[in-house]
Amino acid sequence: MKELSILLPVYNSEKTIEKCINSILSSTQTNFELIVVNDGSNDSSKDKILSFGDNRIKYFEKKNTGLIDSLNFGIKNCSSEIIMRIDSDDYISPEKISFQLEALKSSNSVLVGSNAYIIDND
């Protein structure tokens, strides 16, 4: 069993999905599964996701029913009881997963967050 499941809902994310997945796969933490739920995208998101060929990626595709349904679907397919959620237009630093996982394990918390930077077109 993987130590962590990372849940990534996707809808028409062809412009951002590669950077997002690359940042996850470049993590210093390697014992995870990446659950990608494609919520009926009609762009090239699927092709970009499947091009990675990394066995940590578990790809699921369903008709478009919205974010909440995609998250519930994804949670049912996570094998770890520890779940990290990320959006398809986000990317993370290589240490983020390890840092947050350690913080979660060393506390009595059920939820851990970290700093974020907002990046726009400028």
Side-chain angles (χ1 to χ4, degrees):
M1 176 187 278
K2 299 294 183 178
E3 187 170 22
L4 171 75
S5 296
I6 302 171
L7 179 53
L8 172 59
V10 174
Y11 179 72
N12 288 345
S13 303
E14 68 184 4
K15 294 180 180 176
T16 58
I17 194 64
E18 289 173 299
K19 187 170 187 175
C20 175
I21 292 176
N22 274 322
S23 74
I24 296 166
L25 298 178
S26 298
S27 174
T28 57
Q29 168 68 295
T30 59
N31 187 18
F32 64 83
E33 64 179 359
L34 175 57
I35 305 296
V36 180
V37 180
N38 186 348
D39 188 31
S41 295
N42 55 25
D43 65 0
S44 65
S45 294
K46 176 181 180 176
D47 295 333
K48 292 183 179 210
I49 295 162
L50 295 178
S51 72
F52 281 92
D54 190 298
N55 64 1
R56 294 174 290 180
I57 299 174
K58 310 292 188 251
Y59 177 80
F60 299 90
E61 190 170 338
K62 61 182 209 45
K63 70 178 187 170
N64 180 252
T65 54
L67 177 61
I68 300 304
D69 188 57
S70 293
L71 291 172
N72 287 328
F73 178 91
I75 288 169
K76 291 176 185 174
N77 287 285
C78 290
S79 68
S80 176
E81 62 184 34
I82 300 173
I83 300 172
M84 174 186 159
R85 180 178 150 10
I86 188 168
D87 288 317
S88 59
D89 61 348
D90 295 338
Y91 62 96
I92 59 174
S93 68
E95 300 82 20
K96 179 191 188 306
I97 298 172
S98 296
F99 178 78
Q100 284 190 269
L101 189 57
E102 182 58 36
L104 180 69
K105 288 179 174 181
S106 65
S107 70
N108 289 325
S109 302
V110 295
L111 178 68
V112 174
S114 63
N115 291 340
Y117 298 96
I118 297 174
I119 301 171
D120 59 21
N121 290 331
D122 297 325

